[in-house]
Amino acid sequence: MYIPRASKFDPDANGHFGIFGGRYVPETLMPILIDLEKEYRKLRFDEHFWTEVNHCLNEYVGRPSALFFAKNISHELGAKIYLKREDLNHTGAHKINNTVAQGLIAKKMGKKRVIAETGAGQHGVATATIAALLGLECEVFMGEKDVERQELNVFRMKLLGAKVHSVKSGSRTLKDAMNEAIRYWVTHARDTFYIIGTVAGPHPYPMMVRDFQAIIGYEAKAQILVKEKSLPDYVIACIGGGSNAMGIFSHFLGEEGVKCIGIEAGGLGIETDKHGCSLAKGSPGVLHGQMSYLLQDDDGQILEAHSISAGLDYPGIGPEHAYLKEQGAAIYENITDQEALDAFVWLSRKEGIIPAFESAHAIAYLKKIPKDEIKNKIVIVNLSGRGDKDMVQAKSILNIG
Amino acid sequence: MKQLVAYVTAGFPDKAFTLDLVSSLKQSGVDKLELGIPFSDPVADGPIIESANLKALQNGFKLETLFEISSVVATELETYWMGYFNPFYHKGLDAITQKALDLGVKGFIIPDLPHEEALCYMPLMQQRRLSMVSFVAPTDTKERIAHIVKHAQGFIYLVAYAGITGAHAGEDLSKTIHAIKEQSQTPVFVGFGVNEKTAKERAKGVEGVIVGSAFVEVLLDESLSGTQKIEKIAEKARIIKEKINA
């Protein structure tokens, strides 16, 4: 049974990872966050609670997810490439690992309604799904631009009984969806549970979501030890807010010889102003309840991010990643829209697996590692989601006759 | 006499307008000024102030604009900078508090900087004799209120309801006010959703009210000329000041 473990990267009592993290929210929410933190302290290592979560993960989500040896791309690269198949989870991505656990906590705390923000729609779908299962009302906030580019997921959420709010302010993407979700939360603070979809937001969310996603790393480590009798040389994952990366990194950080590499969205290239590389090009600041790296201008106004992938189109990043970067505990790189698209096609044709645009960024990085460096190495890539949701967008971009 | 604190979005639509507006507010009986700093992601604000924020930024608002405005208005009215934490943090708290001091600004109102995160900046504020205004919300317990208001400076900003600015909501604040008064002598001002209709009720048991969206709504009304906007806001301020003291 999976139970989180205390980590040397756990935040302090006020949720700080070094200078990052914390709770930067309107006062109205502070008592709500303090209550949630108390509740989570009780549940974090509680066997009874985790029995319930594990039951749901096994029977409903379909865990453990496979660690698949991708022999065709392995052959091409001269390395051993394993894919952690989060795309095979119920609803098609890693997001549900988190919503299952947060949904159960919402229920325990007697909340009647859950809300969520969503970029690509995967977290919205995963929240709507668990809300249906647990009999909770569900409202999802999604930027208008994402509503357009992810219309299938919008329909899925509605089909599952959720109400979808199309957010028209600002860049009309994930950042603005999160603003609107926070406004709704402040207004309905007493009876609404906010299911945050990534390792971001005010404490205790970054730690909590990391614990819920760390099942990925926990399984992957056990699986690779069985298959290779050795730890991997590289663990690679894409990063928007950073939950799938935090999840898979969690059990490999600090292991001798294992490089954890997070891939940010390079958009049109980090030399342009159209990307989502908050670690590579941003600086520390406060947004959405936390201190972390942000894309911002001279005056501390938040800049719009850009990525082909709605799930990575965000000007911030989870605070623990900011901390890991500064500590040198993980490495952060980036992949452009075009490189991700190429990898999307490459994996589809080579392995018969269509990755989500987000996950395609992690796949693309395999080709960026110099040939002599990757040769004979064991690599795990977190295949965080499947590409079904991206079909409409892919069809309009790719010229496949 | 109960006081009226006016929030205006700095530099919206431009600097000259803000200066005229503040002069007129002073003549209408406004006691303190909350000079709002436009921010790209104002999560504690409703659609009215959000819209003014975004438009001000589109019109080219920079922090330099704020400094220019402050250098004039801080000599007319007791002025506080109301803004989200990131722009302050990005400029550096040392630099920004020095600037406030130089310009005669009295303090800071930062809606996304709760007590715990503000603590580390308190020594700097005290050293420069600036106030960091404490927020109290109706969701707060008695214990938390005691903790927050113990070192309150300037005034205490009591949020009228769980929600964002400019909503038509209200809550019974009597217990919250009682809990504050048990612990602190610092004046309490109630903000959020205060307008001509609600002001009298909101001012009960406290030293004053803060009015924002009701004024900014007029700023956004494109059917009015600049002069008409200023007249209309001044009139609202006069009515509110009268009602809270009736």
Side-chain angles (χ1 to χ4, degrees), chain A residues 16 22-24 26-28 30-31 34 169 175 179 183 186-187 190 285-286 291 296-302, chain B residues 38-43 45 50 57 62-63 86-87 90-91 111-112 114 116-117 139-140 144 148 162-163 171:
Chain A
H16 297 113
R23 277 175 301 213
Y24 296 86
E27 178 58 29
T28 303
M30 283 301 288
I34 291 166
S169 60
K175 166 176 90 76
N179 288 344
R183 291 187 182 114
V186 179
T187 307
R190 295 177 176 98
V286 169
M291 181 167 301
Q296 53 187 327
D297 72 9
D298 295 350
D299 266 0
Q301 304 290 349
I302 310 307
Chain B
F39 183 53
S40 53
D41 297 83
V43 294
D45 286 301
E50 181 195 15
L57 291 172
K62 299 292 285 177
L63 285 179
N86 195 55
H90 193 69
K91 288 288 170 192
D112 59 346
E116 287 79 353
E117 302 293 351
T139 48
D140 282 327
R144 182 164 172 83
I148 294 173
E171 292 192 24

Side-chain angles (χ1 to χ4, degrees), chain A residues 39-348:
Chain A
E39 182 73 15
Y40 188 59
R41 290 265 168 224
K42 277 191 279 175
L43 297 175
R44 192 175 182 203
F45 306 118
D46 180 76
E47 282 210 16
H48 185 75
F49 173 68
W50 282 98
T51 305
E52 212 178 334
V53 175
N54 277 267
H55 177 78
C56 203
L57 291 174
N58 297 340
E59 303 294 322
Y60 187 67
V61 174
R63 300 204 73 89
S65 69
L67 184 71
F68 173 70
F69 176 64
K71 78 171 183 332
N72 300 326
I73 61 171
S74 292
H75 180 73
E76 185 176 329
L77 297 170
K80 289 181 169 175
I81 313 294
Y82 286 88
L83 304 177
K84 182 59 175 161
R85 300 290 308 274
E86 293 300 303
D87 61 318
L88 295 179
N89 292 338
H90 180 41
T91 72
H94 68 292
K95 292 290 184 189
I96 197 149
N97 301 330
N98 169 43
T99 60
V100 160
Q102 285 200 50
L104 289 169
I105 294 176
K107 197 87 182 170
K108 269 190 201 307
M109 293 181 79
K111 308 278 178 172
K112 296 194 166 42
R113 186 189 306 116
V114 294
I115 57 167
E117 83 294 339
T118 197
Q122 290 304 99
H123 175 59
V125 167
T127 304
T129 299
I130 199 68
L133 179 71
L134 299 176
L136 296 161
E137 285 173 43
C138 177
E139 302 202 15
V140 178
F141 296 83
M142 189 169 185
E144 193 181 40
K145 188 171 160 192
D146 294 334
V147 166
E148 286 159 18
R149 60 181 166 177
Q150 298 290 348
E151 57 172 306
L152 288 177
N153 269 344
V154 175
F155 181 71
R156 286 166 86 194
M157 289 182 259
K158 289 181 179 168
L159 179 63
L160 290 158
K163 185 174 174 191
V164 180
H165 299 262
S166 175
V167 177
K168 295 174 176 59
S169 60
S171 58
R172 301 177 296 123
T173 60
L174 182 53
K175 166 176 90 76
D176 308 281
M178 198 142 178
N179 288 344
E180 215 49 40
I182 293 173
R183 291 187 182 114
Y184 185 95
W185 190 27
V186 179
T187 307
H188 301 87
R190 295 177 176 98
D191 64 352
T192 298
F193 190 100
Y194 184 7
I195 298 189
I196 293 182
T198 190
V199 286
H203 180 62
Y205 283 95
M207 175 178 83
M208 210 166 66
V209 177
R210 174 247 275 162
D211 284 350
F212 301 155
Q213 293 295 359
I215 191 169
I216 304 172
Y218 167 81
E219 287 176 4
K221 190 176 191 178
Q223 289 164 322
I224 199 73
L225 286 174
V226 168
K227 288 175 195 273
E228 290 291 336
K229 313 275 183 295
S230 143
L231 288 173
D233 299 289
Y234 298 97
V235 177
I236 303 171
C238 65
I239 299 195
S243 71
N244 90 79
M246 212 59 249
I248 196 158
F249 289 177
S250 60
H251 283 258
F252 294 105
L253 286 169
E255 291 285 4
E256 187 79 28
V258 183
K259 276 188 189 155
C260 291
I261 306 175
I263 308 298
E264 295 192 283
L268 302 183
I270 58 166
E271 67 288 355
T272 72
D273 60 0
K274 298 238 178 276
H275 57 74
C277 298
S278 31
L279 286 177
K281 302 286 278 188
S283 56
V286 169
L287 179 69
H288 296 151
Q290 58 167 24
M291 181 167 301
S292 189
Y293 272 76
L294 291 176
L295 298 177
Q296 53 187 327
D297 72 9
D298 295 350
D299 266 0
Q301 304 290 349
I302 310 307
L303 297 172
E304 291 180 11
H306 165 86
S307 172
I308 189 172
S309 130
L312 307 183
D313 201 345
Y314 183 67
I317 187 162
E320 193 172 351
H321 283 296
Y323 184 60
L324 294 179
K325 176 195 156 91
E326 296 221 330
Q327 296 290 308
I331 301 162
Y332 295 89
E333 300 284 354
N334 48 75
I335 282 293
T336 64
D337 286 352
Q338 188 57 52
E339 289 165 336
L341 260 181
D342 293 345
F344 175 79
V345 176
W346 183 51
L347 193 71
S348 301

Side-chain angles (χ1 to χ4, degrees), chain A residues 22-38:
Chain A
R23 277 175 301 213
Y24 296 86
V25 293
E27 178 58 29
T28 303
L29 290 175
M30 283 301 288
I32 311 303
L33 288 169
I34 291 166
D35 277 355
L36 175 60
E37 206 232 338
K38 274 189 198 145

